[in-house]
Amino acid sequence: MHLHKYEKIWLGFGVFALIVFLSVVGVSAFHQGHTPSGGHMTIDPENVRGTAPFDEPGVHQREDGSYEVVIIAKAFGYEPSEIQVPVGEEVTFTVTSEDVVHSFSIVETNVNMMVVPGQVNHKTHTFSEEGSYLIVCNEYCGSGHHFMSTEIEVIGQ
Ligand code: CUA
């Protein structure tokens, strides 16, 4: 079989690009431990309120002093509606949905999770400044989507 010179060049380029892309994915997955979001824990979406920790939505202090905020997203809001956490402490948000796909995004932070019924999502964040932060839903979830928001109060210790 005769390969034209340009065919050989492009073939080489394709193989090289494939190796680069697979290396990036491999390093990211095996060395840095990146995984697809969600799927770490699943619950029965029909029985959210009967499943721990969602039987007690709210702010809980853990034994190591860090905080966990358990939140249920629903059309069109978040439960609990009032959240207060201290500044400078590690806060883990544990979120699920009891109806359709929503999101949980805290404006001006890296916290931006998709909230899927039956799946539990976690994100840990430490607020470095006091104040009131807006939480919004970024996934279109129905007629009230634009009104789906709440606030989190970060208070001094
Ligand atoms: Cu919930 Cu959009």
Side-chain angles (χ1 to χ4, degrees):
M1 185 176 71
H2 176 72
L3 284 178
H4 193 274
K5 184 175 139 205
Y6 290 136
E7 278 182 313
K8 281 184 189 160
I9 292 173
W10 278 111
L11 208 56
F13 176 76
V15 169
F16 173 74
L18 192 64
I19 289 169
V20 168
F21 294 148
L22 289 178
S23 303
V24 168
V25 173
V27 167
S28 150
F30 297 110
H31 181 64
Q32 301 179 327
H34 290 183
T35 56
S37 62
H40 305 296
M41 187 182 154
T42 56
I43 62 169
D44 178 3
E46 305 266 301
N47 187 29
V48 170
R49 282 159 202 281
T51 310
F54 299 102
D55 49 351
E56 284 182 71
V59 181
H60 308 288
Q61 190 165 18
R62 289 163 158 170
E63 278 176 14
D64 64 2
S66 69
Y67 289 80
E68 181 181 32
V69 185
V70 176
I71 292 164
I72 300 173
K74 57 188 179 181
F76 298 99
Y78 300 93
E79 195 180 323
S81 53
E82 284 188 12
I83 308 167
Q84 255 188 11
V85 295
V87 71
E89 296 283 347
E90 204 170 87
V91 180
T92 299
F93 296 93
T94 301
V95 191
T96 194
S97 165
E98 66 174 8
D99 41 42
V100 297
V101 174
H102 298 280
S103 93
F104 180 88
S105 309
I106 308 179
V107 176
E108 292 177 357
T109 71
N110 277 343
V111 180
N112 184 9
M113 294 185 274
M114 204 161 168
V115 184
V116 180
Q119 297 204 357
V120 180
N121 246 342
H122 301 279
K123 179 74 185 173
T124 300
H125 184 72
T126 303
F127 292 92
S128 55
E129 279 182 43
E130 291 173 37
S132 166
Y133 292 76
L134 183 65
I135 299 173
V136 294
C137 177
N138 279 335
E139 292 289 332
Y140 183 72
C141 52
S143 59
H145 164 71
H146 309 287
F147 306 108
M148 185 165 170
S149 70
T150 187
E151 282 188 348
I152 179 167
E153 292 297 328
V154 178
I155 52 171
Q157 308 213 53

